[in-house]
Amino acid sequence: MVKISAIVITYNEERNIGRCIDSLRAVADEIVVIDSFSKDRTREICEEKGVRFIEHAFKSHIDQKNYAVTQASYEIVLSLDADEYLSEELTKGILEVKRTWPCEAYRMNRLSNYGGKWIRHGNWYPDQKIRLWNRQIGFWGGENPHDKVILRTGVKVMHLKGDILHRAYVNSAETLSKIQNYSEIFARENTGRKSSSVAKIIIRSTFAFFKSFILKRGFLDGFEGLMVAMAVSNHVFYKYSKLYEANHRAMLGKRLIISRTDNMGDVILTLPLLGYLKSIVPDLKISFIGKGYTRAIIQHCIFVDEFLDREEILKDPKQLRLQRADTAIFIFPDRELAKLARQAGIKHRVATAHRWYNWLYCNHLVDFSRFKSNLHESQLNFKLLKPFKLNGDVDTSELIPFYGLQPSQEVYSPKISQTKFNLIIHPKSKGSAREWPLDSYLKLVEALSPESFEIFVTGLKSEGDLIREQRPELLQHPNVTDLTGKFNLEELTTFISQADGLLACSTGVLHLAAALGVHSLGLYSPMKPIHPGRWKPIGKNATYLALKKDCSLCRNSTNCECINSISVEEVKQQLENFRSRKVIHRKLIPKTEAA
């Protein structure tokens, strides 16, 4: 007579483990329970029943069951799950072969229970399993979580009468919970190894129901047979749906290039995309290709691992190959870089379908138009995540935590006040936006109290020269510090972060201030596509002013009546609101902390 080691793996099985152990006593010479650190009474019940109880960290069903086999004292092992037990007929069959041991492995039927009814038709029965074998000729394999015993080639298997009784499904809620869990495991285990498609999802899940309910006569089990057929179909649907999503997300890889080779404001509005991707794939390495002058911004983003200068790549294309990137996303269309990305062997290259050259050099094309869209520029960037089945529809408020800008803490102006509201005015935009008149800025400066506001005017040296030529009184005002031409971009970024507020038209500096959390007020024309719906500042303290109307009268002119119509009083009132919020904030913070 052979000796049998019964092995069971458990986790929080207080409801089932006692019944399982009791059914094994008649046939097993030892019972070994491998537990994944249960938090219920599983251990207590096992110890009361005198079994050998071993705790072992769970990696997967297959790993755990193979570990359990190694803990058996005898060569012959009988494996049950905690929610299974032996029928009387199967117990007799095992005792009989235990005496004579005519084969090295034995197969038996499993009879599952749904909602108190034994299901004898459909996909769930006879559900044959090899559970009794000589461990020298077999091991656990298959795919998680639906493991199976893999035997050496040529091993004879004998079928035993009787059933493994399986009480796993109390009701539909528990069934759906297990379907979600098992389908998640399937997708995780098979990502990149198995394929899925919309057609496969539909066909396989539909056929699974038909096979269980019709071909295997699940209808004979009545309502419970219908529930089982639906559960089988749901399981197939979810496991291939989740695999479909997982395979697409896996295409992103671990090394990503983001290319945005236009201007500062556009780059800043791209940064939330990077933060979002890092929240999905924390170990993702992101390299950012940009214009050289944007380096100061990009390198201060905690979500960027490396900055790449576009011009340097064009001079030395091997830099792109050395990145060993899995994916390149061209936020801003760039024919030369797209061509180099293909030559560098970057596997996934994503771009808009609305550029003819992308059809030559990119293999994932997304059909959307920035010019015609009513979405914000920052939202449009997310459209390029479509090939990876990631969220392409986000609200602008969701993007605020994802900028990740951390400027240096150096102080570039000794005039930063600890008591006044430090306001930066950035009047010019290098012609990229409709600008509020310099006369209006001057009137605003004259209207703001010098006891409440410390005012700084920033801009390029050429912009400062233009202001001195057109309205010198603005920079000569006693309450204004002229900082035009004084800062490079890195210094300006740090200075803005130390100020309290910024006023500008639709320009990169406005988006920079908004991203840094500074009180930011943008002045806009309502004309598409430069309207605030497309280009408003996005930040926790950012807002804008624009006339509520549709207007295209100044499309061919830089003189915009709509932005000219924004009154000094409106702007002043918003800046006063900013100052009031700052005062309230200071009162709420203890003096020692505020200092």
Side-chain angles (χ1 to χ4, degrees):
M1 179 182 290
V2 299
K3 290 192 173 183
I4 295 176
S5 292
I7 52 176
V8 184
I9 67 170
T10 58
Y11 179 71
N12 289 346
E13 290 286 357
E14 64 180 7
R15 187 176 74 185
N16 298 308
I17 189 61
R19 181 178 58 225
C20 177
I21 291 171
D22 291 341
S23 78
L24 290 169
R25 291 197 186 281
V27 300
D29 296 280
E30 74 163 348
I31 299 174
V32 183
V33 174
I34 308 298
D35 184 73
S36 308
F37 300 93
S38 291
K39 296 177 174 58
D40 63 0
R41 295 184 61 250
T42 299
R43 177 172 190 150
E44 182 182 340
I45 294 169
C46 290
E47 290 176 345
E48 287 174 356
K49 292 186 176 292
V51 303
R52 188 146 64 92
F53 186 85
I54 301 171
E55 291 183 316
H56 185 258
F58 184 89
K59 293 182 180 178
S60 72
H61 288 80
I62 292 173
D63 288 335
Q64 196 77 338
K65 288 188 175 182
N66 277 323
Y67 174 78
V69 169
T70 67
Q71 300 306 301
S73 301
Y74 306 114
E75 295 300 312
I76 308 304
V77 292
L78 170 62
S79 177
L80 290 186
D81 291 339
D83 56 6
E84 298 172 340
Y85 59 103
L86 305 177
S87 68
E88 291 185 13
E89 186 177 11
L90 182 55
T91 299
K92 291 176 182 178
I94 294 174
L95 288 173
E96 184 176 335
V97 299
K98 182 178 180 179
R99 286 192 293 269
T100 59
W101 199 247
C103 294
E104 290 298 302
Y106 298 85
R107 182 183 293 112
M108 52 208 75
N109 296 339
R110 183 167 74 160
L111 178 63
S112 294
N113 189 287
Y114 177 84
K117 181 173 182 176
W118 296 109
I119 305 301
R120 299 184 181 276
H121 306 90
N123 273 38
W124 281 11
Y125 195 76
D127 195 18
Q128 296 184 352
K129 307 285 186 183
I130 296 173
R131 292 298 185 83
L132 179 64
W133 77 100
N134 186 325
R135 65 179 178 176
Q136 297 300 321
I137 53 93
F139 60 93
W140 284 103
E143 61 183 30
N144 287 309
H146 302 294
D147 42 65
K148 61 181 179 180
V149 175
I150 307 295
L151 299 175
R152 231 172 24 214
T153 304
V155 173
K156 182 180 177 182
V157 180
M158 178 178 174
H159 185 81
L160 296 179
K161 293 182 179 180
D163 299 308
I164 299 173
L165 301 176
H166 183 215
R167 288 187 177 272
Y169 307 97
V170 174
N171 52 37
S172 58
E174 186 171 346
T175 304
L176 289 171
S177 176
K178 289 192 176 184
I179 286 172
Q180 293 301 326
N181 183 39
Y182 290 161
S183 59
E184 194 72 36
I185 295 171
F186 173 86
R188 185 170 62 246
E189 293 284 326
N190 290 285
T191 300
R193 296 173 54 229
K194 290 190 174 185
S195 66
S196 183
S197 66
V198 173
K200 183 179 287 188
I201 294 166
I202 295 172
I203 293 170
R204 289 205 173 194
S205 58
T206 301
F207 182 72
F209 176 84
F210 180 75
K211 179 181 178 182
S212 181
F213 196 64
I214 305 298
L215 297 184
K216 291 199 169 187
R217 301 180 298 166
F219 61 86
L220 294 176
D221 290 312
F223 169 76
E224 288 79 7
L226 174 63
M227 292 299 293
V228 168
M230 287 303 301
V232 171
S233 177
N234 266 312
H235 177 60
V236 173
F237 175 84
Y238 280 111
K239 75 177 187 178
Y240 282 104
S241 295
K242 291 178 181 180
L243 179 62
Y244 181 72
E245 292 178 333
N247 278 342
H248 279 80
R249 292 184 182 184
M251 290 193 319
L252 192 65
K254 297 295 183 182
R255 301 177 71 90
L256 170 67
I257 290 175
I258 294 288
S259 176
R260 181 98 207 207
T261 53
D262 46 350
N263 298 320
M264 181 173 71
D266 310 282
V267 166
I268 292 167
L269 292 176
T270 301
L271 298 182
L273 177 70
L274 280 58
Y276 170 78
L277 289 172
K278 285 273 192 175
S279 73
I280 301 295
V281 187
D283 58 344
L284 183 67
K285 182 180 185 295
I286 298 179
S287 299
F288 197 113
I289 302 178
K291 288 183 176 179
Y293 92 95
T294 63
R295 179 192 299 266
I297 298 293
I298 296 167
Q299 287 187 330
H300 282 298
C301 177
I302 61 174
F303 303 123
V304 176
D305 297 284
E306 184 176 0
F307 173 79
L308 302 173
D309 189 307
R310 179 183 186 274
E311 295 305 316
E312 291 178 5
I313 290 175
L314 295 182
K315 291 176 184 176
D316 183 14
K318 70 180 180 182
Q319 289 186 41
L320 207 55
R321 187 178 296 275
L322 292 174
Q323 290 295 310
R324 302 191 309 278
D326 303 295
T327 298
I329 301 178
F330 295 94
I331 307 292
F332 181 75
D334 193 312
R335 178 181 175 182
E336 293 172 293
L337 286 180
K339 181 179 180 180
L340 291 177
R342 182 182 178 185
Q343 293 174 349
I346 297 175
K347 188 174 182 181
H348 302 290
R349 304 174 303 280
V350 185
T352 174
H354 290 221
R355 292 290 188 279
W356 67 266
Y357 49 82
N358 286 337
W359 290 80
L360 297 177
Y361 306 127
C362 297
N363 55 356
H364 298 284
L365 301 178
V366 184
D367 182 17
F368 75 101
S369 170
R370 290 181 184 268
F371 184 80
K372 296 180 180 179
S373 177
N374 289 321
L375 293 176
H376 192 271
E377 179 70 11
S378 59
Q379 294 173 305
L380 288 167
N381 297 332
F382 279 73
K383 295 296 182 184
L384 291 168
L385 298 183
K386 184 178 179 180
F388 312 108
K389 294 296 178 283
L390 291 168
N391 187 10
D393 295 308
V394 294
D395 188 83
T396 53
S397 63
E398 299 177 66
L399 305 181
I400 295 172
F402 290 128
Y403 279 113
L405 282 179
Q406 290 188 350
S408 69
Q409 298 303 308
E410 293 185 51
V411 177
Y412 290 108
S413 175
K415 294 195 103 181
I416 286 285
S417 172
Q418 298 302 311
T419 57
K420 300 179 186 179
F421 187 90
N422 296 282
L423 173 65
I424 297 173
I425 293 177
H426 195 88
K428 293 295 180 179
S429 65
K430 294 176 63 177
S432 65
R434 298 294 189 267
E435 297 173 358
W436 205 41
L438 290 177
D439 282 341
S440 296
Y441 280 111
L442 177 59
K443 290 176 183 177
L444 174 68
V445 168
E446 292 171 342
L448 293 175
S449 167
E451 283 75 34
S452 301
F453 287 88
E454 191 75 44
I455 301 175
F456 306 87
V457 175
T458 58
L460 299 173
K461 181 180 183 300
S462 58
E463 292 173 331
D465 292 341
L466 192 60
I467 296 171
R468 278 183 280 275
E469 176 186 330
Q470 296 177 350
R471 185 55 66 201
E473 299 93 333
L474 176 60
L475 299 182
Q476 294 168 1
H477 192 279
N479 196 32
V480 168
T481 300
D482 178 9
L483 295 178
T484 57
K486 305 293 185 186
F487 294 143
N488 59 35
L489 184 54
E490 180 161 353
E491 293 168 341
L492 178 62
T493 301
T494 299
F495 178 64
I496 291 174
S497 72
Q498 295 166 354
D500 299 306
L502 181 139
L503 170 66
C505 56
S506 177
T507 185
V509 173
L510 175 68
H511 295 297
L512 177 58
L516 291 167
V518 172
H519 290 91
S520 309
L521 176 59
L523 306 180
Y524 285 80
S525 163
M527 181 176 65
K528 293 184 178 181
I530 62 173
H531 63 300
R534 174 74 183 277
W535 292 104
K536 68 182 178 182
I538 304 297
K540 63 180 181 179
N541 294 311
T543 189
Y544 66 91
L545 290 174
L547 295 188
K548 295 180 179 179
K549 58 181 286 190
D550 292 327
C551 182
S552 296
L553 295 177
C554 63
R555 187 168 297 279
N556 298 317
S557 169
T558 56
N559 182 32
C560 177
E561 286 301 320
C562 290
I563 200 167
N564 292 350
S565 298
I566 298 174
S567 72
V568 170
E569 186 57 35
E570 286 180 279
V571 177
K572 178 187 175 186
Q573 183 59 53
Q574 186 58 61
L575 295 176
E576 290 286 0
N577 290 342
F578 284 167
R579 190 181 71 85
S580 297
R581 283 159 58 181
K582 178 187 175 183
V583 170
I584 292 172
H585 180 68
R586 282 179 171 171
K587 288 180 179 178
L588 291 175
I589 300 176
K591 290 184 179 180
T592 53
E593 187 176 337

